Amino acid sequence: MNDGSPEGHTHAELWAETVHGRVAGMRHFGAFSELEIVAPRIAAKAVPGQFVMVTVPGGGFLLRRPLSLFAVRSDRVALLIEARGPGSERLTGLETGDAVDLAGPLGSAFPVSGVASALLVGGGIGCAPLQFLSEELVRAGAQVTAAFGFRDFRAARAAGAFAMERLWVATEDGSVGRRGTVIDILAGLDLPPQTVVYACGPTAMIAAVQRWSLAAGLRGYASLEAHMACGSGSCHGCVVDTARGKLRVCSEGPVFALDEVLP
Ligand SMILES: Cc1cc2nc3c(=O)[nH]c(=O)nc-3n(C[C@H](O)[C@H](O)[C@H](O)COP(=O)(O)OP(=O)(O)OC[C@H]3O[C@@H](n4cnc5c(N)ncnc54)[C@H](O)[C@@H]3O)c2cc1C
Ligand code: FES
């Protein structure tokens, strides 16, 4: 509903609520780090697939960084971060007790109701939102199978951050699990016909999962990435082409139906 804000944006779109969090812990898994933050108001509202916009502490960073919710535990949210550049590098260097501001939860959610069997497909740091999703699916009674692809041994250590019963791993260099991509795992899986596919990862992986799902007759969802400025719908910096036209990854997404994304 519009509240009279400029250009038809809702108040929520223009001003995502910022909360002052505190680092509760940091664990490192090879190339990835799990940052746990005490943020009760976000933890109370969050659903799988959503993300937060995190202020990089210490100054020098104008824009907040979008990070998926990896897990929600009581009054805490956990983020899984790959240090790709200076902002994420600084976030992975935070220590217990440090202050960190974050806005959220933002964006659309992965639908989970009515799903009996789910296939979670992740590529690299794209695996991040799939732990929270897996927990919600299991809680809703679904059988969950996961297939993750990583580039090498260091990245594959991230699998240690996940608690899933059926998790298959592939690495491009063959150092962990199957040699190849995550798509090579999918071919060997025996899944019920009504399985719902959930994918998050690089664009090329989303495209491959979309082709594979279509051929297998399975429907599903994909979480997309885009460079973001506001993270809450007002700057239109994160627009992508979809079968429904141009949509904002931060507000109409990041979760879209798999058959509507145009990777
Ligand atoms: C909805 C959403 C959820 C995300 N969830 C996670 C997550 O759970 N964990 C995580 O580690 N990262 C996640 N990302 C990506 C993360 O936001 C970027 O890696 C981070 O902002 C980079 O900031 P930086 O200052 O470290 O690097 P920069 O110096 O800004 O960039 C470093 C490199 O990363 C690339 N990059 C920067 N932002 C993005 C982006 N949004 N998408 C793709 N490439 C990017 C740049 O092109 C450059 O090559 C997510 C992005 C989105 C949009
Ligand atoms: S990041 Fe500003 S509209 Fe999406």
Side-chain angles (χ1 to χ4, degrees):
M1 190 177 69
N2 184 274
D3 63 0
S5 304
E7 295 179 30
H9 296 298
T10 63
H11 186 267
E13 282 175 326
L14 284 173
W15 306 111
E17 184 190 15
T18 298
V19 304
H20 306 295
R22 198 153 289 281
V23 175
M26 175 77 79
R27 294 195 301 160
H28 300 284
F29 298 89
F32 300 66
S33 302
E34 185 194 327
L35 169 63
E36 193 174 69
I37 303 168
V38 179
R41 286 164 73 170
I42 294 179
K45 287 190 281 186
V47 286
Q50 291 190 299
F51 65 99
V52 287
M53 292 293 285
V54 183
T55 303
V56 181
F61 293 88
L62 184 63
L63 297 176
R64 292 175 293 179
R65 297 314 198 244
L67 295 164
S68 303
L69 290 161
F70 169 69
V72 172
R73 302 170 187 131
S74 175
D75 63 347
R76 295 158 186 213
V77 297
L79 312 173
L80 192 68
I81 307 173
E82 179 181 26
R84 287 198 216 172
S88 45
E89 180 91 48
R90 193 175 294 178
L91 288 169
T92 59
L94 289 175
E95 293 177 359
T96 302
D98 285 348
V100 56
D101 285 354
L102 58 167
L106 299 164
S108 58
F110 286 116
V112 297
S113 72
V115 175
S117 168
L119 172 64
L120 279 46
V121 188
I125 190 59
C127 299
L130 302 181
Q131 174 61 36
F132 189 16
L133 173 62
S134 167
E135 289 169 21
E136 286 296 310
L137 283 163
V138 168
R139 214 186 321 272
Q143 173 180 299
V144 175
T145 303
F148 290 175
F150 298 102
R151 58 178 177 271
D152 56 21
F153 176 76
R154 190 157 176 268
R157 285 189 57 202
F162 291 82
M164 294 179 186
E165 270 182 34
R166 278 176 297 277
L167 169 58
W168 305 93
V169 172
T171 46
E172 288 166 26
D173 65 0
S175 54
V176 181
R178 189 189 178 110
R179 180 188 293 271
T181 71
V182 74
I183 306 299
D184 297 313
I185 298 176
L186 303 187
L189 295 176
D190 185 18
L191 298 164
Q194 298 306 319
T195 297
V196 178
V197 179
Y198 299 86
C200 187
T203 308
M205 188 208 86
I206 299 284
V209 173
Q210 194 184 48
R211 285 193 299 274
W212 179 86
S213 303
L214 190 68
L218 303 178
R219 66 183 179 93
Y221 304 93
S223 177
L224 303 186
E225 273 201 15
H227 289 267
M228 291 185 179
C230 72
S232 52
S234 57
C235 75
H236 288 251
C238 63
V239 167
V240 291
D241 287 314
T242 74
R244 280 193 284 145
K246 292 190 183 301
L247 297 176
R248 294 162 295 182
V249 171
C250 71
S251 42
E252 280 92 22
V255 176
F256 298 93
L258 190 52
D259 61 2
E260 72 180 357
V261 301
L262 305 174

